[in-house]
Amino acid sequence: DGGITQSPKYLFRKEGQNVTLSCEQNLNHDAMYWYRQDPGQGLRLIYYSQIVNDFQKGDIAEGYSVSREKKESFPLTVTSAQKNPTAFYLCASMGQPDGTQYFGPGTRLTVL
Amino acid sequence: AQKITQTQPGMFVQEKEAVTLDCTYDTSDQSYGLFWYKQPSSGEMIFLIYQGSYDEQNATEGRYSLNFQKARKSANLVISASQLGDSAMYFCAMREGGWTGNQFYFGTGTSLTVIP
């Protein structure tokens, strides 16, 4: 089945550690996105990529990094520079022609 | 200014009744898309319905319909015959910049509770 997978579902990190969240899609979509959601809040854009080997910062990119070496994959690294990383992270890809974003199941990151 | 405004933090509806969730948007683009997503307690964002700015007819998908009033810049979601499984957060979103646009904005959401 076509879709977006994220792993792990839950992730615990000690302060000072970098962690990488996985996002894979088999929808053949060019554009992919990472969002952060805090409790009771909407979604905030971290990074997005329109095409392989290209990505742009979103509204809250500080303390995060991404790569886009393959069309199917868009991993997000939460670095130790991110001061408050505990949140729910959602990955999405965008389909054409209407530009609908489809989301993965999310990763819940907790810093201990 | 907020791109997407959802003014109802929480809503209650009786099972089998219809409910309208409000959404207003702000854009100067002529070409844009409007979306509604459902987020159950599991966290996944589920796409419900899409309305293009040039679509003259209101979008419908099963029990969901989008009441699109372009002049008022509103895109309200109507859920007919509510079911207990409809209890969730609902987010309105807008994509600017035409079909290749990457500027996507989300509202703060409305929590819907369906009462048996």
Side-chain angles (χ1 to χ4, degrees), chain A residues 31 33 35 37 41-43 48 50 88 90 94 96-101 103-105, chain B residues 35 37 39 41-45 47 50 91 95 99-104 106-108:
Chain A
Y33 303 77
Y35 292 94
Q37 186 179 31
Q41 304 292 318
L43 277 64
Y48 68 96
Q50 293 179 266
F88 187 55
L90 284 159
M94 187 169 78
Q96 299 299 347
D98 57 28
T100 299
Q101 288 199 357
F103 286 82
Chain B
F35 306 82
Y37 290 85
Q39 188 177 41
S41 57
S42 62
E44 184 169 1
M45 296 283 281
F47 166 68
Y50 161 77
F91 290 93
R95 173 187 46 75
W99 67 272
T100 60
N102 275 283
Q103 296 300 310
F104 224 83
F106 287 85
T108 53

Side-chain angles (χ1 to χ4, degrees), chain A:
Chain A
D1 285 0
I4 303 172
T5 58
Q6 290 185 243
S7 61
K9 187 173 183 179
Y10 298 96
L11 185 57
F12 298 90
R13 188 194 94 173
K14 293 181 179 179
E15 284 194 21
Q17 284 183 335
N18 293 355
V19 290
T20 297
L21 283 58
S22 169
C23 177
E24 303 276 333
Q25 55 100 357
N26 61 3
L27 300 168
N28 200 33
H29 290 166
D30 287 315
M32 297 186 72
Y33 303 77
W34 274 106
Y35 292 94
R36 169 179 172 144
Q37 186 179 31
D38 293 286
Q41 304 292 318
L43 277 64
R44 292 186 290 168
L45 181 65
I46 305 173
Y47 269 98
Y48 68 96
S49 168
Q50 293 179 266
I51 200 167
V52 173
N53 291 325
D54 182 65
F55 47 83
Q56 282 80 41
K57 294 181 179 180
D59 300 323
I60 56 165
E62 185 174 352
Y64 300 97
S65 66
V66 293
S67 63
R68 187 86 187 278
E69 298 176 2
K70 298 187 300 182
K71 187 175 186 177
E72 302 80 14
S73 179
F74 191 40
L76 173 74
T77 297
V78 184
T79 75
S80 56
Q82 171 49 238
K83 299 304 178 189
N84 185 20
T86 294
F88 187 55
Y89 291 86
L90 284 159
C91 178
S93 67
M94 187 169 78
Q96 299 299 347
D98 57 28
T100 299
Q101 288 199 357
Y102 297 93
F103 286 82
T107 293
R108 202 167 296 275
L109 172 63
T110 303
V111 173
L112 303 173

Side-chain angles (χ1 to χ4, degrees), chain B residues 6 22 35 40 49 62 67 81 108:
Chain B
Q6 294 181 254
D22 294 341
F35 306 82
I49 196 166
N67 185 358
T108 53

Side-chain angles (χ1 to χ4, degrees), chain B residues 70-107:
Chain B
K70 197 169 184 177
R72 293 187 176 185
K73 293 189 175 178
S74 74
N76 298 339
L77 177 70
V78 180
I79 305 174
S80 63
S82 296
Q83 302 172 356
L84 295 178
D86 293 335
S87 293
M89 284 290 292
Y90 288 82
F91 290 93
C92 179
M94 175 177 66
R95 173 187 46 75
E96 286 184 321
W99 67 272
T100 60
N102 275 283
Q103 296 300 310
F104 224 83
Y105 304 94
F106 287 85

